[in-house]
Structures are given as structure tokens and as C-alpha cells.
Amino acid sequence: MFANDKNIDNLQQLFVELKKYAELQKDYVKLHLVEKLTILVSSLILVLVLVILGIIALFYLSFTLAYVLAPHVGGLMVSYGIITGCIILLIILIIFFRKRLIMQPMINFLANLLLNDD
């Protein structure tokens, strides 16, 4: 009877340890998820800030280029037209190559972030 009580105590202790282990695993998964989401959100904010600053820089650069081109192309209106055409061409190229320029790098980033256990 003494050995049977000892086996029951061992099983109860094992159950308690397994419960602790499951709780620790759950906490680890939560921490891992928070880490990945933090990296994802910070990268998103960084890209957003860089895009906004890039748009502002392109805006001022286009005005500067318009005033530089004006004497060489016959006027300010023609230089604005040339710059507008270049920006529209740039937009069309970005739309045409969106998979290679936008989607594929995003897929690679998310796959590396979520699937690698570094």
C-alpha cells in the first residue's frame, strides 16, 4: 500500500509540473507573438515615415527642377508639364512592376519574420 501512495504522489507531482510547463509555453508563445508584432508595427511605421518624407522631397524637388528647366525649355508651364509627365511615367512604372517592387519584398519580409525562429 505504501508503494501505491508513492505512485499517486508522483503522478500528482507530474501533473503539476506538466501544468506549469504548459503555462510557461503559453507565456513563451505570447512573448514571441508580441516580439514579432512589435517588429512588424515598427517596420510599418518606419516605411510610412520614409514614404511621407519621400513624397515631400519629391514635391520640392519637382518645383526646383521646374524652375531650373524653365529657361531651357521655353517657360515655366512647359517645365511643369515635363515634370508632370515624368511623375506620371514613374507612377505607371510602379504600378506595372508592383509585384517585383512592393509585393515580393513584403512577402519575403513577412515570411522571414514569422517563419524564422531566430
Side-chain angles (χ1 to χ4, degrees), residues 8-64:
I8 291 173
D9 288 340
N10 285 341
L11 286 175
Q12 287 176 341
Q13 186 177 5
L14 179 64
F15 180 72
V16 169
E17 293 298 321
L18 284 174
K19 190 174 178 183
K20 285 181 188 177
Y21 177 76
E23 288 292 321
L24 288 174
Q25 282 298 107
K26 185 176 88 171
D27 290 342
Y28 174 74
V29 168
K30 285 180 186 176
L31 286 173
H32 197 67
L33 182 65
V34 167
E35 176 192 13
K36 298 295 183 178
L37 286 175
T38 302
I39 293 170
L40 185 64
V41 169
S42 65
S43 298
L44 180 66
I45 291 171
L46 177 66
V47 167
L48 185 65
V49 167
L50 289 177
V51 165
I52 290 170
L53 291 175
I55 288 171
I56 292 170
L58 182 64
F59 180 74
Y60 283 110
L61 181 66
S62 66
F63 275 112
T64 303

Side-chain angles (χ1 to χ4, degrees), residues 87-98:
I87 292 173
I88 290 172
L89 180 65
L90 183 64
I91 290 169
I92 291 169
L93 287 173
I94 290 172
I95 290 171
F96 185 70
F97 292 110
R98 70 183 176 270

